[in-house]
């Protein structure tokens, strides 16, 4: 199955003119299509004219240069006392949820063989860098989730490159379009996202060391945030699961972004959307890309271009609007977003002593 691609240009043009998308011909239907795809599949490809292939390449070029640095250099940016929510998370720290969640393990055993994820053998052998995007609240109960950024020495372009790509990726347009499509006010989601702990969180996987087929860089998991936005990587390997349980290897077209639903939107829609599952593994297509990169003397670090869009830490997660009328059985009780994040981080070994999906 090929994921549909939604062109955001018509919506962005109307928004830039200050007009209501509700009054524009065809745009309400486009918004309904966005919410339908998110509900039915948990994943959506978008073409955003603000996010160019050149922007993506510039970001990946810098992150390849960073991840190629020695481990002792990268560990200078490590902040375990802040739950690894800023700076670098070394390989071997983050534990795949599928290794520690017994309920999830039972569900995996019941899957048809062709849709089962690969089983990780331990913590993820990937590095990750957490970079906060956007303004942080002046007052918050969750200071450690809203800490100052960490900038590595020797990268004068770091802040501008990270901020530029991060702001472009946040894609508030998709959040607005989904709200309209779900029959909620246009700002139902974006008002809760203001001053959220949004994270540009690229991963770095060393294909020279771990480039054997079947290696699991990120074990089967969902993301705890609102929406996850994936840019295009230079090496394949991202598998996602649709809501019907089908596993597909994602091919992000040039100039496009992949949007996946996280646990926070599941909470706000009372399960109308469910958090999308995914993994990153070395596949036959990854091996082909490794061989080509070796021939061309290019970097063998697989960099993911990933952004976690969050609900603000002090906002309350609870079903919105008409979703509050759904029979919940106590599954989505009102809960402060910061508390929810801390609970989730504790499960995957990133709270207390040891960011995210």
């Amino acid at each position: 199955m090929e994921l549909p691609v939604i062109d955001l240009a018509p919506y962005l043009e109307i928004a830039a003119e200050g007009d209501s998308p509700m009054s524009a011909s065809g745009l309400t239907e486009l918004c309904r299509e966005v919410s339908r795809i998110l509900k039915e599949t948990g994943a959506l490809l978008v073409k955003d004219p603000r996010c160019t292939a050149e922007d993506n390449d510039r970001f990946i070029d810098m992150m390849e240069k960073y991840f190629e640095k020695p481990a002792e250099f990268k560990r200078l940016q490590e902040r375990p006392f802040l739950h690894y929510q800023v700076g670098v998370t070394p390989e071997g720290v983050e534990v795949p949820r599928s290794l520690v969640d017994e309920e999830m393990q039972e569900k995996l055993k019941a899957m048809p063989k062709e849709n089962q994820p690969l089983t990780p053998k331990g913590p993820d052998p990937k590095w990750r860098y957490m970079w906060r995007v956007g303004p942080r609240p002046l007052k918050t109960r969750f200071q450690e989730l809203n800490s100052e950024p960490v900038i590595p020495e020797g990268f004068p372009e770091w802040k501008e490159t990270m901020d530029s790509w991060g702001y472009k990726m946040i894609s508030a347009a998709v959040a607005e379009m989904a709200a309209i499509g779900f029959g909620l006010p246009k700002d139902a989601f974006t008002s809760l996202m203001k001053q959220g702990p949004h994270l540009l969180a690229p991963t770095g996987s060393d294909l020279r060391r771990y480039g054997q087929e079947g290696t699991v860089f990120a074990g089967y998991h969902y993301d705890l945030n609102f929406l996850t936005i994936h840019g295009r990587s230079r090496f394949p390997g991202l598998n996602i699961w649709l809501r019907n349980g089908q596993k597909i290897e994602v091919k992000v077209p040039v100039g496009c972004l992949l949007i996946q639903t996280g646990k926070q939107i599941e909470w706000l829609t009372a399960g109308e959307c469910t958090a999308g599952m995914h993994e990153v593994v070395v596949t036959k297509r990854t091996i082909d890309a490794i061989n080509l990169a070796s021939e061309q003397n290019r970097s063998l670090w697989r960099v993911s271009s990933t952004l976690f869009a969050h609900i603000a830490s002090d906002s309350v997660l609870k079903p919105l609007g008409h979703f509050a009328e759904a029979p919940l059985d106590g599954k989505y009780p009102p809960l402060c977003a910061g508390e929810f994040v801390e609970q989730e981080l504790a499960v995957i070994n990133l709270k207390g002593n040891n960011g995210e999906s």
Side-chain angles (χ1 to χ4, degrees):
M1 173 184 172
E2 293 290 326
L3 291 174
V5 178
I6 299 290
D7 188 352
L8 300 184
Y11 184 89
L12 293 171
E13 287 170 12
I14 292 294
E17 293 168 4
D19 296 331
S20 168
M22 303 295 286
S23 62
S25 174
L27 277 197
T28 301
E29 197 54 44
L30 187 64
C31 292
R32 289 199 188 106
E33 182 70 356
V34 167
S35 61
R36 182 191 67 78
I37 296 169
L38 290 177
K39 172 187 172 182
E40 293 181 3
T41 70
L44 172 72
L45 286 168
V46 298
K47 187 170 180 57
D48 188 332
R50 300 167 300 179
C51 298
T52 66
E54 290 75 21
D55 290 330
N56 199 3
D57 283 341
R58 178 183 172 219
F59 170 76
I60 290 180
D61 286 345
M62 185 183 76
M63 292 312 304
E64 285 178 348
K65 182 181 167 188
Y66 172 78
F67 285 125
E68 284 167 354
K69 293 284 187 183
E72 54 269 25
F73 171 85
K74 289 180 285 198
R75 284 186 177 275
L76 295 175
Q77 291 86 53
E78 190 178 359
R79 300 292 184 272
F81 53 91
L82 295 175
H83 312 337
Y84 290 102
Q85 292 301 285
V86 291
V88 78
T89 307
E91 63 179 55
V93 170
E94 195 169 328
V95 177
R97 194 175 188 101
S98 53
L99 272 187
V100 294
D101 188 324
E102 292 181 2
E103 182 181 345
M104 185 181 288
Q105 290 169 3
E106 290 303 312
K107 288 180 180 177
L108 296 185
K109 290 176 187 173
M111 281 183 177
K113 199 73 176 171
E114 67 273 14
N115 288 328
Q116 288 182 2
L118 292 181
T119 303
K121 295 178 173 61
D124 292 337
K126 70 175 188 295
W127 293 73
R128 189 193 288 284
Y129 207 98
M130 296 290 209
W131 179 262
R132 196 76 66 210
V133 176
R136 290 173 298 280
L138 295 176
K139 293 178 68 177
T140 175
R141 290 169 51 203
F142 304 95
Q143 203 61 51
E144 72 279 5
L145 298 181
N146 295 276
S147 305
E148 288 300 313
V150 180
I151 302 175
E153 286 187 18
F155 288 82
E157 75 280 26
W158 187 274
K159 186 177 188 305
E160 194 277 328
T161 302
M162 298 294 265
D163 284 345
S164 173
W165 184 234
Y167 274 109
K168 288 179 179 181
M169 286 185 78
I170 282 180
S171 195
V174 172
E176 288 182 354
M177 294 172 78
I180 293 168
F182 281 128
L184 299 170
K186 171 186 167 183
D187 66 347
F189 297 136
T190 54
S191 62
L192 297 174
M193 294 169 66
K194 285 179 180 172
Q195 296 189 332
H198 312 302
L199 288 166
L200 181 57
T203 63
S205 303
D206 188 351
L207 296 171
R208 200 179 299 277
R209 287 182 63 198
Y210 301 112
Q212 300 78 33
E213 186 176 350
T215 298
V216 180
F217 283 121
Y220 179 82
H221 66 283
Y222 61 76
D223 288 340
L224 60 86
N225 47 289
F226 176 67
L227 291 175
T228 298
I229 300 100
H230 302 272
R232 195 166 184 267
S233 175
R234 289 172 176 165
F235 295 90
L238 175 63
N239 293 324
I240 69 170
W241 278 258
L242 306 183
R243 190 163 184 174
N244 65 5
Q246 181 185 354
K247 174 183 177 179
I248 61 172
E249 187 174 358
V250 179
K251 300 173 185 175
V252 180
V254 175
C256 289
L257 301 170
L258 170 70
I259 312 275
Q260 267 201 300
T261 48
K263 204 68 177 178
Q264 291 175 351
I265 193 172
E266 179 178 327
W267 214 280
L268 297 172
T269 62
E272 184 88 354
C273 285
T274 56
M277 308 301 296
H278 48 283
E279 69 177 0
V280 178
V281 300
V282 177
T283 66
K284 286 185 171 62
R285 288 182 62 234
T286 316
I287 299 293
D288 291 341
I290 290 171
N291 292 336
L292 181 60
S294 297
E295 291 171 10
Q296 297 176 348
N297 201 28
R298 290 189 284 110
S299 174
L300 291 181
W301 277 84
R302 183 192 187 277
V303 173
S304 77
S305 177
T306 305
L307 184 131
F308 299 119
H310 272 265
I311 299 302
S313 302
D314 295 277
S315 293
V316 175
L317 289 176
K318 62 180 181 180
L320 301 177
H322 60 87
F323 292 119
E325 301 164 14
L328 304 178
D329 298 325
K331 193 173 181 183
Y332 303 105
L335 179 65
C336 206
E339 291 177 38
F340 170 73
V341 169
E342 289 184 341
Q343 289 174 13
E344 292 283 311
L345 292 177
V347 173
I348 56 173
N349 203 34
L350 293 179
K351 183 179 187 298
N353 63 331
N354 285 320
E356 185 119 4
S357 118

